[in-house]
C-alpha cells in the first residue's frame, strides 16, 4: 500500500483534512459529517465511511477521471491511519 500525505489546517481536526497522492496529484477532502456540514460539490466523486461512532465523507478535489481504485486505496489508507479498522466504505450515504 502506498503512502500518502495529509494536510490539516491549524483549526481543523485530523478528520477534516485533505489526503494527497504525490504521484497522481489527486486530492481527497475528508469531512467529519457528525461535527461539520458536508455539502457535495458538482463533478466530484464521493464516498462515505462508517466505523464505530464515526461517519466520514470523502470527496475528490479537482477530479479528472482518476481511477476509482486509487481513491478507495487512499480512503482505506486514511482509515488505517486513524485506527478505524472496522471501517465500511459506501458509494452513497449509508
Amino acid at each position: 500500500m502506498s503512502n500518502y500525505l495529509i494536510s490539516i489546517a491549524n483549526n481543523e481536526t485530523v478528520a477534516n483534512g485533505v489526503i494527497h497522492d504525490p504521484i497522481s496529484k489527486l486530492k481527497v477532502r475528508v469531512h467529519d459529517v457528525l461535527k461539520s456540514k458536508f455539502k457535495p460539490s458538482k463533478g466530484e466523486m464521493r464516498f462515505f465511511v462508517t466505523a464505530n461512532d464515526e461517519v466520514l465523507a470523502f470527496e475528490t478535489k479537482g477530479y479528472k477521471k482518476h481511477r476509482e481504485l486509487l481513491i478507495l486505496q487512499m480512503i482505506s489508507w486514511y482509515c488505517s491511519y486513524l485506527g478505524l479498522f472496522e471501517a465500511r466504505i459506501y458509494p452513497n450515504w449509508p
Side-chain angles (χ1 to χ4, degrees):
M1 187 177 278
S2 298
N3 283 322
Y4 303 104
L5 305 171
I6 302 172
S7 62
I8 304 165
N10 289 340
N11 60 351
E12 299 287 330
T13 63
V14 175
N16 283 330
V18 178
I19 311 165
H20 301 265
D21 179 24
I23 297 169
S24 71
K25 307 299 185 211
L26 176 64
K27 297 177 186 175
V28 177
R29 188 176 301 269
V30 184
H31 302 275
D32 187 339
V33 177
L34 299 177
K35 296 180 183 173
S36 64
K37 254 188 161 177
F38 171 64
K39 185 177 178 185
S41 302
K42 273 192 170 182
E44 302 295 336
M45 185 171 258
R46 67 196 58 81
F47 291 93
F48 298 90
V49 168
T50 58
N52 303 330
D53 296 337
E54 300 278 340
V55 179
L56 301 174
F58 293 83
E59 183 177 57
T60 59
K61 186 176 173 188
Y63 180 71
K64 291 187 172 86
K65 298 184 181 178
H66 286 84
R67 295 172 295 162
E68 188 173 308
L69 182 59
L70 173 62
I71 298 166
L72 292 172
Q73 286 175 337
M74 292 173 74
I75 293 170
S76 176
W77 176 87
Y78 189 78
C79 290
S80 295
Y81 174 79
L82 290 180
L84 302 174
F85 300 112
E86 299 294 323
R88 292 183 177 211
I89 302 172
Y90 301 93
N92 299 312
W93 182 254

